[in-house]
């Protein structure tokens, strides 16, 4: 099933992101974990892709398993910046052959090793080039792309960032998923600005439940996302007690999701980080809201 068809429904839904193992030895464990999340029948599940190769082999194995065993549609992430055109074309072919209908088209982060090389030798510099290649493949994929309510760290300003985002949509991205946001107002401000810029595709907010204090620093470092004072107070107060922190983090994420639903957003993407218990608790918290059309 195509994600755009899920997004066009009017009922409230949740999707979850999982990541594949780094090594073969971790495969069975991750498979089991992702199956537990899939058993909750979310609207769809996305499976990340290791930009430098590492975990990329397993992205499709995990996605295929989720679709086959649980009938949950998947969104296979694919990055391009550290790959040759041949490798990427081969991956696109493989995704099609496996019957996966949705691709999240990403550039991938620039590693110091990559940055030390001559850019003119790169086959891909931006995600928009990958989107064009997917379209040119002729296969009928539903393509998603990333967006940044707090501006991508390499962008000089939001206006440029939104201009390049529009290029991705014009090239064929049918929906967008945001970098994690901890303050919904930032998401709504961003939505207003991109609509003004003529971007009209569905935008799925990405919510990361912070369930332990150490995760906070990592999440900020990875995403550059703003942590509201209200959230910092929770971490300060409960951070030393793992169970309390977990409960408070899940409650905070649930609260954000309810606020998004109540303001007209029907699908929210949860960065569930291969934690089935967290995914389950969030779904339980929303049991009388999910799947309904209000
Ligand atoms: P792009 O859209 O290419 O943008 C990158 C930067 O270049 C931006 O600053 C943009 O404004 C600028 N830009 C774009 N086009 C042009 C142009 N023509 N001229 C000048 N500047 C331009 N990484 C992974 O490795 N694996 C994953 O699975 C993964 N999943 C992700 C999922 C989501 C929802 C998000 C938000 C990010 C994900 N990432 C993942 C991280 C992503 O790869 C990085 O954020 C990366 O730095 C940018 O990727 P992008 O696709 O947004 O790039």
């Amino acid at each position: 099933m195509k994600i755009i068809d899920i997004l066009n429904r009017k009922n409230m839904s949740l999707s979850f992101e999982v990541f594949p193992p780094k090594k073969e030895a971790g495969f069975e464990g991750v498979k089991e974990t992702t199956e537990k999340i899939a058993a909750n029948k979310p609207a769809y599940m996305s499976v990340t892709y290791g930009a430098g190769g590492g975990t990329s082999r397993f992205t499709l194995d995990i996605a295929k398993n989720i679709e086959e065993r649980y009938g949950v549609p998947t969104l296979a992430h694919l990055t391009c910046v550290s790959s040759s055109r041949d490798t990427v074309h081969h991956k696109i072919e493989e995704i099609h052959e496996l019957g996966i209908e949705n691709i999240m088209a990403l550039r991938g982060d620039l590693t110091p090793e990559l940055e030390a090389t001559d850019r003119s030798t790169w086959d891909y510099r931006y995600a928009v080039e990958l989107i064009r290649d997917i379209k040119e493949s002729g296969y009928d994929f539903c393509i998603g792309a990333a967006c940044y309510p707090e501006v991508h760290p390499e962008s000089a300003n939001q206006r440029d960032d939104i201009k390049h985002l529009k290029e991705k949509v014009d090239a064929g991205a049918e929906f967008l998923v945001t970098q994690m946001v901890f303050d919904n107002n930032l998401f709504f401000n961003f939505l207003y600005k991109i609509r003004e810029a003529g971007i009209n595709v569905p935008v799925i907010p990405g919510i990361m439940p912070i369930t332990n204090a150490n995760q906070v620093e990592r999440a900020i470092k990875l995403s550059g996302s703003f942590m509201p004072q209200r959230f910092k107070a929770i971490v300060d107060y409960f951070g030393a007690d793992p169970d309390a922190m977990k409960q408070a983090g899940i409650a905070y994420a649930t609260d954000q999701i309810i606020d998004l639903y109540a303001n007209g957003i029907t699908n929210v993407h949860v960065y569930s980080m291969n934690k089935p218990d967290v995914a389950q608790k969030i779904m339980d918290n929303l049991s009388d809201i999910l799947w309904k059309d209000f």
Side-chain angles (χ1 to χ4, degrees):
M1 180 170 210
K2 294 207 167 59
I3 286 170
I4 192 65
D5 294 328
I6 296 168
L7 299 176
N8 283 335
R9 292 179 192 153
K10 296 273 174 281
N11 53 0
M12 310 287 153
S13 65
L14 277 186
S15 49
F16 292 113
E17 180 165 298
V18 294
F19 54 85
K22 283 204 167 60
K23 298 199 171 108
E24 182 83 54
F27 187 79
E28 282 307 313
V30 171
K31 190 167 144 228
E32 209 175 292
T33 299
T34 54
E35 284 181 0
K36 282 186 188 152
I37 297 178
N40 286 313
K41 299 275 180 195
Y44 75 88
M45 284 169 71
S46 70
V47 188
T48 64
Y49 188 89
T55 60
S56 61
R57 277 180 46 208
F58 303 116
T59 298
L60 299 184
D61 294 341
I62 295 287
K64 188 66 199 158
N65 182 57
I66 293 168
E67 291 217 352
E68 268 178 4
R69 296 212 52 194
Y70 290 89
V72 173
T74 58
L75 170 62
H77 289 208
L78 179 62
T79 67
C80 59
V81 75
S82 58
S83 302
S84 69
R85 205 165 283 272
D86 270 0
T87 306
V88 167
H89 286 190
H90 183 73
K91 277 281 165 201
I92 295 170
E93 198 72 37
E94 222 182 321
I95 297 172
H96 170 71
E97 275 165 17
L98 288 172
I100 294 169
E101 293 182 274
N102 308 288
I103 303 184
M104 181 74 177
L106 298 146
R107 185 196 67 178
D109 279 322
L110 302 180
T111 59
E113 299 78 51
L114 189 65
E115 288 206 83
T117 61
D118 177 0
R119 277 178 189 239
S120 67
T121 64
W122 300 359
D123 280 357
Y124 296 92
R125 290 179 63 191
Y126 301 111
V128 67
E129 298 159 42
L130 171 60
I131 295 171
R132 290 188 188 122
D133 275 12
I134 298 171
K135 290 302 274 186
E136 275 169 23
S137 74
Y139 298 128
D140 185 22
F141 288 115
C142 172
I143 305 173
C147 64
Y148 303 84
E150 298 176 63
V151 185
H152 185 269
E154 286 164 41
S155 277
N157 56 59
Q158 192 166 44
R159 192 182 287 250
D160 284 356
D161 210 23
I162 291 178
K163 188 179 105 192
H164 296 309
L165 183 62
K166 184 154 188 322
E167 288 164 3
K168 294 199 280 193
V169 173
D170 291 345
E174 289 180 68
F175 66 95
L176 302 169
V177 185
T178 76
Q179 180 60 283
M180 58 188 85
V181 280
F182 296 98
D183 179 345
N184 288 353
N185 288 329
L186 295 170
F187 171 76
F188 289 121
N189 289 345
F190 172 71
L191 203 55
Y192 176 76
K193 285 183 184 164
I194 66 168
R195 296 298 186 230
E196 270 213 312
I199 298 175
N200 293 311
V201 296
V203 185
I204 307 175
I207 299 297
M208 160 86 91
I210 299 279
T211 52
N212 69 68
N214 301 333
Q215 212 185 330
V216 178
E217 216 171 290
R218 252 196 340 266
I220 299 176
K221 206 169 145 211
L222 267 175
S223 65
S225 303
F226 167 73
M227 288 275 172
Q229 192 50 45
R230 194 166 86 81
F231 187 75
K232 283 191 194 150
I234 291 176
V235 181
D236 278 353
Y237 213 76
F238 302 116
D241 181 324
D243 292 339
M245 184 60 230
K246 189 168 176 180
Q247 195 165 52
I250 290 170
Y252 187 90
T254 306
D255 191 40
Q256 266 191 289
I257 296 168
I258 291 173
D259 179 52
L260 289 161
Y261 286 158
N263 283 283
I265 304 297
T266 52
N267 182 263
V268 178
H269 193 56
V270 179
Y271 292 107
S272 48
M273 308 296 290
N274 295 9
K275 291 179 184 157
D277 56 331
V278 173
Q280 174 77 59
K281 286 212 166 86
I282 291 180
M283 289 193 99
D284 289 349
N285 286 348
L286 298 167
S287 59
D288 287 326
I289 296 176
L290 279 174
W291 322 126
K292 287 186 186 165
D293 169 2
F294 290 90

